[in-house]
Coordinates of all heavy atoms in Angstrom, one line a residue:
Q1 N 162.5 89.0 108.8 CA 161.6 89.9 108.1 C 160.8 90.7 109.1 O 159.6 90.5 109.4 CB 160.6 89.1 107.2 CG 161.2 88.2 106.2 CD 161.8 89.1 105.1 OE1 161.5 90.2 104.8 NE2 162.8 88.5 104.4
P2 N 161.5 91.7 109.7 CA 160.8 92.4 110.8 C 159.6 93.2 110.4 O 158.8 93.6 111.3 CB 162.0 93.4 111.3 CG 162.9 93.5 110.2 CD 162.8 92.2 109.4
G3 N 159.5 93.5 109.1 CA 158.3 94.3 108.7 C 157.0 93.5 109.0 O 155.9 94.2 109.3
L4 N 157.0 92.2 109.0 CA 155.8 91.4 109.3 C 155.4 91.5 110.7 O 154.2 91.3 111.0 CB 156.0 90.0 108.9 CG 156.2 89.7 107.4 CD1 156.5 88.2 107.2 CD2 154.9 90.1 106.6
L5 N 156.3 91.9 111.6 CA 155.9 92.1 113.0 C 155.0 93.2 113.2 O 154.3 93.3 114.2 CB 157.2 92.3 113.9 CG 158.2 91.2 113.9 CD1 159.3 91.5 114.9 CD2 157.5 89.9 114.4
L6 N 154.9 94.1 112.2 CA 153.9 95.2 112.3 C 152.5 94.6 112.3 O 151.6 95.3 112.9 CB 154.0 96.2 111.1 CG 155.3 97.0 111.0 CD1 155.4 97.8 109.8 CD2 155.4 97.9 112.3
L7 N 152.3 93.4 111.8 CA 151.0 92.8 111.8 C 150.5 92.6 113.3 O 149.4 92.7 113.6 CB 151.0 91.5 111.0 CG 151.0 91.6 109.5 CD1 151.1 90.2 108.9 CD2 149.8 92.4 109.0
L8 N 151.5 92.1 114.1 CA 151.2 91.9 115.5 C 150.8 93.2 116.2 O 149.9 93.3 117.0 CB 152.4 91.3 116.2 CG 152.7 89.8 115.9 CD1 153.9 89.4 116.6 CD2 151.5 88.9 116.2
A9 N 151.5 94.3 115.8 CA 151.2 95.6 116.4 C 149.8 96.1 116.0 O 149.2 96.8 116.7 CB 152.3 96.6 116.0
V10 N 149.4 95.7 114.8 CA 148.1 96.1 114.3 C 147.0 95.2 114.9 O 145.9 95.6 115.3 CB 148.0 96.1 112.8 CG1 146.6 96.3 112.3 CG2 149.0 97.1 112.2
L11 N 147.3 93.9 114.9 CA 146.2 92.9 115.4 C 146.0 93.0 116.9 O 144.9 92.7 117.3 CB 146.7 91.5 115.0 CG 146.6 91.2 113.5 CD1 147.2 89.8 113.2 CD2 145.2 91.3 112.9
A12 N 147.0 93.3 117.7 CA 146.8 93.4 119.1 C 145.7 94.4 119.5 O 144.8 94.0 120.2 CB 148.1 93.7 119.8
P13 N 145.8 95.6 119.1 CA 144.7 96.6 119.5 C 143.4 96.2 118.8 O 142.3 96.4 119.4 CB 145.2 97.9 119.0 CG 146.2 97.6 118.0 CD 146.9 96.4 118.4
L14 N 143.5 95.6 117.6 CA 142.2 95.2 116.9 C 141.5 94.1 117.7 O 140.3 94.1 117.9 CB 142.5 94.7 115.5 CG 141.3 94.2 114.7 CD1 140.3 95.3 114.5 CD2 141.8 93.7 113.3
A15 N 142.3 93.1 118.3 CA 141.7 92.1 119.1 C 141.1 92.6 120.3 O 140.0 92.2 120.8 CB 142.8 91.0 119.4
A16 N 141.8 93.6 121.0 CA 141.2 94.2 122.2 C 139.9 95.0 121.9 O 139.0 94.9 122.7 CB 142.3 95.2 122.8
L17 N 139.9 95.6 120.7 CA 138.7 96.3 120.3 C 137.5 95.3 120.1 O 136.4 95.6 120.5 CB 138.9 97.1 119.0 CG 137.8 97.9 118.5 CD1 137.3 99.0 119.5 CD2 138.2 98.6 117.2
L18 N 137.8 94.2 119.5 CA 136.8 93.2 119.2 C 136.2 92.6 120.6 O 135.0 92.4 120.7 CB 137.3 92.1 118.4 CG 137.6 92.4 116.9 CD1 138.2 91.3 116.2 CD2 136.3 92.9 116.2
V19 N 137.1 92.4 121.5 CA 136.7 91.9 122.8 C 135.8 92.9 123.5 O 134.7 92.6 124.1 CB 137.9 91.5 123.7 CG1 137.5 91.3 125.1 CG2 138.7 90.3 123.1
Y20 N 136.2 94.2 123.4 CA 135.4 95.2 124.0 C 134.0 95.3 123.4 O 133.0 95.4 124.0 CB 136.1 96.5 123.9 CG 135.3 97.7 124.3 CD1 135.1 98.0 125.7 CD2 134.7 98.5 123.4 CE1 134.3 99.1 126.1 CE2 133.9 99.6 123.8 CZ 133.7 99.9 125.1 OH 132.9 100.9 125.5
A21 N 134.0 95.2 122.0 CA 132.8 95.3 121.3 C 131.8 94.1 121.7 O 130.6 94.3 121.8 CB 133.0 95.3 119.8
A22 N 132.4 92.9 121.8 CA 131.6 91.7 122.2 C 131.0 91.9 123.6 O 129.8 91.6 123.8 CB 132.4 90.4 122.1
R23 N 131.8 92.4 124.5 CA 131.2 92.6 125.8 C 130.2 93.7 125.8 O 129.1 93.6 126.5 CB 132.4 93.0 126.8 CG 133.3 91.8 127.1 CD 134.4 92.2 128.0 NE 135.3 91.1 128.3 CZ 136.3 91.2 129.1 NH1 136.7 92.4 129.7 NH2 137.1 90.1 129.4
R24 N 130.4 94.7 125.1 CA 129.4 95.8 125.0 C 128.1 95.3 124.4 O 127.0 95.7 124.8 CB 130.0 97.0 124.2 CG 129.1 98.2 124.0 CD 128.9 98.9 125.4 NE 128.1 100.0 125.2 CZ 128.5 101.3 125.0 NH1 129.8 101.5 124.9 NH2 127.7 102.3 124.9
A25 N 128.2 94.5 123.4 CA 127.0 93.9 122.7 C 126.2 93.1 123.7 O 125.0 93.1 123.7 CB 127.4 93.1 121.5
R26 N 126.9 92.2 124.5 CA 126.2 91.4 125.5 C 125.5 92.3 126.5 O 124.4 92.0 126.9 CB 127.1 90.4 126.1 CG 127.6 89.3 125.2 CD 128.2 88.2 126.0 NE 129.5 88.6 126.6 CZ 130.7 88.5 126.0 NH1 130.7 88.0 124.8 NH2 131.8 88.9 126.6
R27 N 126.2 93.3 127.0 CA 125.6 94.2 128.0 C 124.4 94.9 127.4 O 123.4 95.1 128.1 CB 126.7 95.2 128.4 CG 126.2 96.1 129.6 CD 127.3 96.8 130.3 NE 128.0 97.7 129.3 CZ 129.2 97.6 128.8 NH1 129.9 96.5 129.2 NH2 129.7 98.4 128.0
D28 N 124.5 95.4 126.1 CA 123.3 96.1 125.5 C 122.2 95.1 125.3 O 121.0 95.5 125.4 CB 123.8 96.7 124.2 CG 124.7 97.8 124.4 OD1 124.9 98.3 125.5 OD2 125.4 98.2 123.4
L29 N 122.5 93.9 125.0 CA 121.4 92.9 124.8 C 120.6 92.6 126.1 O 119.4 92.6 126.2 CB 122.0 91.6 124.3 CG 121.0 90.5 124.0 CD1 119.9 90.9 123.0 CD2 121.7 89.2 123.6
R30 N 121.4 92.5 127.2 CA 120.7 92.4 128.5 C 119.9 93.6 128.9 O 118.7 93.5 129.4 CB 121.8 92.1 129.6 CG 122.4 90.7 129.5 CD 123.1 90.4 130.8 NE 124.3 91.3 131.1 CZ 125.5 91.1 130.6 NH1 125.7 89.9 130.0 NH2 126.5 91.9 130.9
A31 N 120.4 94.8 128.6 CA 119.6 96.0 128.9 C 118.3 96.0 128.0 O 117.3 96.5 128.5 CB 120.5 97.2 128.6
L32 N 118.4 95.6 126.7 CA 117.3 95.6 125.8 C 116.2 94.6 126.3 O 115.0 94.9 126.3 CB 117.7 95.2 124.4 CG 116.6 95.2 123.4 CD1 116.0 96.5 123.2 CD2 117.2 94.7 122.0
R33 N 116.7 93.5 126.9 CA 115.7 92.5 127.4 C 114.9 93.1 128.6 O 113.7 92.9 128.7 CB 116.4 91.3 127.8 CG 116.8 90.4 126.7 CD 117.5 89.1 127.2 NE 118.0 88.2 126.1 CZ 117.2 87.3 125.5 NH1 115.9 87.2 125.9 NH2 117.6 86.6 124.5
R34 N 115.7 93.9 129.4 CA 115.0 94.5 130.6 C 114.0 95.5 130.1 O 112.9 95.6 130.6 CB 116.0 95.1 131.5 CG 116.8 94.0 132.3 CD 117.6 94.7 133.5 NE 118.5 95.7 133.0 CZ 119.8 95.4 132.7 NH1 120.2 94.2 132.8 NH2 120.6 96.4 132.3
V35 N 114.4 96.4 129.2 CA 113.5 97.4 128.7 C 112.2 96.8 128.0 O 111.1 97.3 128.2 CB 114.2 98.4 127.7 CG1 113.2 99.3 127.1 CG2 115.3 99.1 128.5

């Protein structure tokens, strides 16, 4: 069922986006504490 492999193609960039968002949130939190 090769159509289901499209889920991997969709989830991979989504996972990368979530990792980036988590790192950005931690960085913004540290900047907020300093301000």
Side-chain angles (χ1 to χ4, degrees):
Q1 301 292 335
L4 291 176
L5 294 183
L6 293 176
L7 289 175
L8 289 177
V10 172
L11 290 177
L14 180 60
L17 181 61
L18 290 176
V19 170
Y20 172 78
R23 290 181 178 178
R24 182 67 179 266
R26 287 194 295 270
R27 186 167 61 249
D28 292 345
L29 181 60
R30 288 194 296 268
L32 180 62
R33 285 181 180 274
R34 288 194 298 269
V35 171

